[in-house]
Amino acid sequence: TLRAWTAFHIVDNAAPYLSKRFALANFDFFGRTPSGQPQIRERWKRGVSFADGRVYATNGLGFAAALDAETGAVIWKTRVEDHPRTRMSVSPQLHDGKLYVTTSAGEETAAMDPMYECCTSRGAAVALDAATGRILWKTYVLPEARKWKVSSKGVQFWGPAGAAMWGGLSIDPKRRLLFSGTGNVYVDGM
């Protein structure tokens, strides 16, 4: 049922921040098993990556950044997505000198406004040079949205859109692959 699906996703998304029992169960399923991570990170380290005296983080506005772990000074800050509804909710992953981040968006709530031109956002995975913040590559889950249809109120609709990348990342260094799930498609535009 929709109620069961919603309840599961609320608990699943909040598991790393709930009691230790939930956090450990979530880690065993999503961390230890698919990525081979030997132990759960301390709670304060779960939203960031830390290496070589730097803290790597993302924010809700489409930026990734590296900060000096001792002073908090910004070493670099890079805008990885410029869609006005961009959100970045996944902890950045650091591997082999690269910082991997994903993008999401908040268009589903904006679309409740009947005058909002829904929807043009699309999830993406981005690799940055961890030393400089330079974008090395970026790949979108969906093609760029195009005009689709006009609503009964005369508002232009766009699509395809959605497929936000708000889940965790797993890196397979042996196969040189990056894995991540996506969210739903907001509008197919077909």
Side-chain angles (χ1 to χ4, degrees):
T1 69
L2 179 59
R3 179 176 283 177
W5 181 87
T6 303
F8 167 79
H9 285 292
I10 289 170
V11 172
D12 183 49
N13 290 335
Y17 312 104
L18 296 174
S19 71
K20 188 173 185 177
R21 190 176 117 236
F22 280 101
L24 289 174
N26 184 69
F27 170 74
D28 280 338
F29 187 77
F30 291 107
R32 188 183 328 268
T33 304
S35 69
Q37 186 178 343
Q39 64 186 30
I40 193 169
R41 291 179 177 177
E42 296 173 48
R43 184 177 288 262
W44 70 271
K45 292 182 180 178
R46 292 184 200 159
V48 299
S49 286
F50 178 83
D52 301 322
R54 291 181 175 190
V55 175
Y56 298 92
T58 60
N59 71 12
L61 302 174
F63 287 91
L67 309 171
D68 183 290
E70 203 168 302
T71 67
V74 175
I75 297 168
W76 57 258
K77 180 173 142 182
T78 302
R79 182 151 201 155
V80 298
E81 180 59 53
D82 59 4
H83 190 282
R85 298 278 177 182
T86 296
R87 302 292 177 266
M88 296 175 74
S89 58
V90 175
S91 299
Q93 296 293 315
L94 188 62
H95 174 71
D96 197 25
K98 296 176 185 73
L99 186 71
Y100 297 94
V101 300
T102 61
T103 67
S104 181
E107 278 198 292
E108 287 176 305
T109 54
M112 289 193 270
D113 176 355
M115 300 310 289
Y116 181 73
E117 289 192 16
C118 186
C119 287
T120 58
S121 66
R122 53 200 173 137
V126 186
L128 299 104
D129 182 308
T132 66
R134 181 175 63 89
I135 294 176
L136 302 172
W137 57 259
K138 180 178 185 177
T139 187
Y140 288 100
V141 177
L142 296 172
E144 190 169 2
R146 60 190 181 280
K147 290 181 180 181
W148 176 36
K149 66 180 182 179
V150 176
S151 76
S152 61
K153 296 192 181 292
V155 177
Q156 180 67 59
F157 285 166
W158 299 78
M165 296 182 76
W166 48 261
L169 289 170
S170 292
I171 299 169
D172 182 341
K174 183 177 177 183
R175 293 178 182 85
R176 299 183 60 197
L177 294 172
L178 175 71
F179 296 93
S180 179
T182 67
N184 59 305
V185 174
Y186 305 152
V187 60
D188 66 13
M190 302 299 183

